[in-house]
Amino acid sequence: MSIIDEEPAQPRVWEENGDVTTSQYWKKNDKVILQAGVGRYDLWRGFNTGFFASSALVDNPKLEPILKHCLVDNYGSYRGMILSDPGSSDQYFHRDTDPLENVGSKGKALMAVDDFYFTCLIPVTGDVTPENGPTEFLEGSHRHCSDEFESLKEVQICCPLGSAVVFNGKINHRGKGNRSEKDDRAVVYTVYHKEWYNDQFRKGVDQT
Ligand SMILES: O=C(O)CCC(=O)C(=O)O
């Protein structure tokens, strides 16, 4: 939180599923925190020591076989965290993967490639509840370009403490706002992706 309090917020503008999306981010040395809705923070880059390097996260025996099944070989992982304060707003809808298009972001190129990216969310301070902000998915959107999204259903997933949610990074989703009075809703995430993909890049974030 000291990074957010002390560093200037930098504006971020990019395209998500064909729509211009705006947010902000904070940067200090190797660390980058992305705003993921007002009052929601994605500790994205540079959080890789201590808890983030623990074997329960890095070599989790329950998760490893699932990811091996999904990605088969030549994949790696990194970790970060989503913090969501009481009173935070909904996040913007997004896919976790880049659309893989030079121009546009509707996902035509993405639909043509094999699945290469999965995200795992693990609550760490308490259950994820309807009040403190479930993860909302557009059901089946990992198999659709965004101009077909209208017919898809929104589904909210509440993950209890001790469980995890694993999803295809192509799926359109968002974290819902935190309507609770005092739950600090925190989830650690692990991103697993094929080695050929670079996830240390985000459109609209200064890479220097
Ligand atoms: O906080 C959540 O429930 C969703 C987080 C998210 O969108 C992500 O990790 O890509």
Side-chain angles (χ1 to χ4, degrees):
M1 296 316 290
S2 67
I3 296 178
I4 292 161
D5 291 342
E6 289 159 21
E7 302 301 318
Q10 304 193 42
R12 183 176 173 219
V13 182
W14 75 108
E15 202 184 277
E16 205 64 72
N17 297 315
D19 294 327
V20 173
T21 307
T22 55
S23 187
Q24 48 189 28
Y25 66 99
W26 298 262
K27 199 166 181 232
K28 186 172 185 184
N29 305 324
D30 65 325
K31 293 190 166 40
V32 180
I33 300 176
L34 306 173
Q35 186 189 58
V38 176
R40 302 184 89 259
Y41 307 100
D42 176 352
L43 280 55
W44 168 52
R45 261 172 74 159
F47 297 89
N48 42 26
T49 57
F51 169 66
F52 294 102
S54 63
S55 63
L57 291 180
V58 177
D59 305 305
N60 187 288
K62 292 217 166 122
L63 290 168
E64 284 311 311
I66 297 171
L67 275 303
K68 172 93 184 139
H69 174 80
C70 293
L71 288 166
V72 184
D73 60 10
N74 305 115
Y75 61 92
S77 66
Y78 73 90
R79 279 138 285 279
M81 185 174 276
I82 309 279
L83 300 174
S84 174
D85 293 342
S88 70
S89 72
D90 294 342
Q91 189 182 11
Y92 43 83
F93 262 112
H94 64 286
R95 304 187 201 260
D96 281 350
T97 59
D98 192 276
L100 308 181
E101 290 167 3
N102 286 340
V103 178
S105 61
K106 292 191 175 176
K108 192 163 176 251
L110 192 59
M111 293 305 110
V113 291
D114 221 343
D115 297 329
F116 62 92
Y117 187 120
F118 288 82
T119 304
C120 174
L121 303 179
I122 304 177
V124 286
T125 51
D127 298 342
V128 171
T129 67
E131 287 70 39
N132 69 19
T135 312
E136 185 168 71
F137 295 93
L138 202 54
E139 198 174 61
S141 52
H142 56 302
R143 298 287 180 251
H144 291 273
C145 294
S146 58
D147 43 16
E148 297 166 357
F149 280 178
E150 226 162 85
S151 58
L152 305 178
K153 206 169 79 189
E154 288 164 5
V155 180
Q156 296 185 357
I157 302 294
C158 291
C159 186
L161 198 60
S163 293
V165 181
V166 179
F167 58 92
N168 190 321
K170 293 178 182 175
I171 200 166
N172 204 40
H173 68 284
R174 64 177 172 175
K176 294 287 285 175
N178 185 345
R179 291 185 281 111
S180 76
E181 300 228 318
K182 52 183 171 36
D183 278 7
D184 286 318
R185 187 266 206 191
V187 299
V188 64
Y189 64 81
T190 305
V191 166
Y192 301 82
H193 64 77
K194 287 286 199 179
E195 299 284 10
W196 56 259
Y197 183 72
N198 173 15
D199 204 38
Q200 295 305 298
F201 169 81
R202 287 286 183 281
K203 271 200 169 156
V205 174
D206 176 12
Q207 296 298 127
T208 54

